[in-house]
Amino acid sequence: MGIDPIELMGGLPDWPGSRPPKNRGKNKPIAVNTINGAQSKNYRINGVDVEMFTIGEAGKAINRSASTLRMWEHQGWIPKTNYRTSAPRKSQLPNKVPKGRRLYTRKQVEFLKDCIQRFNLDDRNSKHWNDFRHYAITNWPK
């Protein structure tokens, strides 16, 4: 009997089949910091590692598109994001000031997810949008 690769890793393997890959080296960690399959990254802010989601991943976590989050921000339904990646060195579009990508903390993403459920925003006929806006602006996590 050989060593069970699943037992070796302490869970499910990250490869198909029963044989581990030959040229992999160390086992890749399986991503556990996800919300609805959205991946987070750690960014160093003031010397502290903070778990952040890009706008696309934050949208995926709350089942909305990135453009929906931008629209909510533009309309004033949620506050503007506190964090951005560094700006690109070259201008991407003429006559536009280059800015970095919007970043959201895990607390902010979980807050939005909770608000969507609390105010029943998945229902197209929801009449709670003003309540959502007021609640989101006054209780937005930093």
Side-chain angles (χ1 to χ4, degrees):
M1 281 197 163
I3 298 174
D4 185 14
I6 295 174
E7 201 175 296
L8 230 164
M9 287 185 56
L12 294 174
D14 64 341
W15 64 82
S18 60
R19 251 194 257 161
K22 290 182 180 181
N23 299 326
R24 178 164 298 162
K26 292 185 180 180
N27 292 331
K28 276 185 1 183
I30 298 173
V32 292
N33 295 332
T34 63
I35 301 175
N36 283 353
Q39 297 287 327
S40 65
K41 283 186 177 179
N42 285 334
Y43 288 87
R44 188 169 288 275
I45 298 172
N46 296 330
V48 178
D49 283 341
V50 180
E51 182 182 14
M52 306 289 268
F53 292 85
T54 61
I55 190 167
E57 294 298 314
K60 185 190 291 186
I62 63 169
N63 294 324
R64 300 291 192 276
S65 66
S67 60
T68 299
L69 282 173
R70 281 189 214 99
M71 190 261 310
W72 286 359
E73 212 177 85
H74 181 72
Q75 296 289 333
W77 294 351
I78 61 173
K80 292 188 186 262
T81 182
N82 302 340
Y83 307 102
R84 285 185 179 261
T85 61
S86 55
R89 294 187 180 170
K90 292 184 179 181
S91 178
Q92 304 294 313
L93 298 170
N95 302 324
K96 283 285 211 177
V97 176
K99 296 180 182 177
R101 294 182 180 188
R102 293 170 173 90
L103 296 174
Y104 296 90
T105 63
R106 177 175 275 280
K107 269 179 141 178
Q108 291 169 339
V109 171
E110 288 175 348
F111 175 79
L112 283 174
K113 192 173 167 85
D114 178 53
C115 283
I116 289 169
Q117 290 175 349
R118 175 178 288 189
F119 296 105
N120 195 23
L121 300 182
D122 285 329
D123 180 14
R124 291 181 183 253
N125 298 325
S126 177
K127 295 180 169 78
H128 301 289
W129 284 97
N130 282 332
D131 297 334
F132 163 70
R133 182 184 60 80
H134 179 68
Y135 183 79
I137 289 174
T138 56
N139 298 308
W140 187 253
K142 299 289 179 196

